[in-house]
Amino acid sequence: LRCSCRLWGGLVQPGNSLRLSCAASGVTLDWWPIGWFRQAPGKEREGVAVFSTREGRAYYADSVKGRFTISRDTAKNTINLQLTSLKPEDTAVYYCAADPRPYYSGDYYLSEGMEYWGKGTQVTVSS
């Protein structure tokens, strides 16, 4: 899987919104589970959001529920994440991901990760 981030978050003030997007080439994502993960310096990787194809629903980390929304654009073959009400603790490098195996629950992908990863993009939330 080739996945590149089309948007970079840069520096964002708390309370503002941001949209991240990754485009995939060489594969079609419409039937694949997709996800977003993040990692801050000195911290472990955290599963942020996953859409489970088998279950037909999204899973979110407790820290972002109600604020982040994961989606896909089938026509453009992209993986998207809408971030709202941003907080300083959201500062991290964000990674898009996808998996050719639709067998597991969203909780599994959220904790274990996925098969293919895009390049990370830095999001910094600060006043």
Side-chain angles (χ1 to χ4, degrees):
L1 174 68
R2 291 185 177 182
C3 186
S4 60
C5 296
R6 293 188 177 277
L7 299 176
W8 284 263
L11 180 62
V12 183
Q13 294 187 357
N16 284 3
S17 299
L18 185 68
R19 186 177 181 87
L20 302 179
S21 181
C22 288
S25 61
V27 297
T28 302
L29 299 175
D30 54 337
W31 301 119
W32 290 22
I34 56 173
W36 283 91
F37 300 77
R38 68 186 182 186
Q39 186 168 23
K43 296 184 178 181
E44 295 182 353
R45 184 186 66 197
E46 176 187 20
V48 174
V50 165
F51 188 88
S52 170
T53 304
R54 182 176 66 84
E55 298 170 287
R57 58 159 289 187
Y59 288 75
Y60 296 95
D62 289 339
S63 59
V64 307
K65 284 183 178 178
R67 299 190 299 117
F68 292 6
T69 303
I70 186 173
S71 65
R72 60 157 56 89
D73 188 322
T74 302
K76 297 181 179 179
N77 210 29
T78 59
I79 302 167
N80 307 303
L81 184 69
Q82 181 69 38
L83 304 81
T84 63
S85 301
L86 284 164
K87 305 175 180 179
E89 50 263 43
D90 293 320
T91 297
V93 176
Y94 285 71
Y95 301 87
C96 59
D99 202 300
R101 306 165 298 171
Y103 318 122
Y104 309 110
S105 71
D107 285 335
Y108 174 87
Y109 298 112
L110 207 60
S111 63
E112 299 298 328
M114 292 186 165
E115 193 77 13
Y116 301 106
W117 300 85
K119 296 183 182 296
T121 184
Q122 177 71 45
V123 174
T124 301
V125 184
S126 177
S127 60

